[in-house]
């Protein structure tokens, strides 16, 4: 039996957003654990792989800190773990993913793809577009509020 949202579904709010985030993250963290990887390691490695241009350690730390709101020292420690595991290597002042890093991300992606399809499948495109707009606005506003709190 497929469950879909109904007209009596709760209105989107911070709690609903958090519950959805942690449910999806729980699925991903389960898959990552099977590969001996943490959520933050996956985020840092993916940032290095998808950057398009070579990244310095500081570039990656800034990018991941901005996305996860994580302590830069924790991100640096994660970067060091990925270097020690030879999923990233130094190439002069920049870092690049190794074949093992690419293969690990590909394996995680292959394993999560059917799960993602089941989670997101069947949601009408217009609902996904509306949710995307709302989430982008919430992210922008929350980032503005966090910047004001930490200024």
């Amino acid at each position: 039996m497929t469950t879909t949202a109904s007209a009596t579904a709760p209105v989107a709010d911070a709690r609903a957003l958090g519950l959805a985030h942690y449910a999806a993250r729980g699925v991903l963290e389960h898959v990552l654990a099977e590969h001996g990887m943490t959520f933050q390691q996956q985020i840092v490695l993916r940032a290095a792989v998808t950057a398009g241009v070579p990244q310095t350690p500081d570039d990656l730390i800034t990018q991941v800190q901005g996305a996860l709101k994580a302590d830069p020292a924790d991100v640096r420690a994660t970067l060091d773990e990925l270097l020690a595991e030879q999923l990233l290597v130094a190439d002069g002042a920049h870092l690049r993913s190794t074949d093992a890093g690419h293969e690990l991300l590909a394996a995680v992606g292959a394993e999560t793809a059917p799960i993602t399809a089941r989670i997101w499948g069947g949601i009408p495109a217009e609902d996904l577009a509306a949710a995307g707009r709302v989430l982008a606005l919430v992210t922008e506003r929350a980032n503005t509020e966090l910047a004001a709190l930490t200024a």
Side-chain angles (χ1 to χ4, degrees), residues 66-109:
L68 296 182
K69 311 309 182 242
D71 183 312
D74 291 341
V75 180
R76 173 139 335 251
T78 300
L79 205 66
D80 291 342
E81 293 165 4
L82 294 171
L83 287 162
E85 294 174 20
Q86 298 182 343
L87 298 171
L88 289 176
V89 294
D91 187 5
H94 297 93
L95 299 174
R96 64 176 175 77
S97 176
T98 63
D99 289 344
H102 283 278
E103 290 167 9
L104 180 56
L105 285 181
V108 168

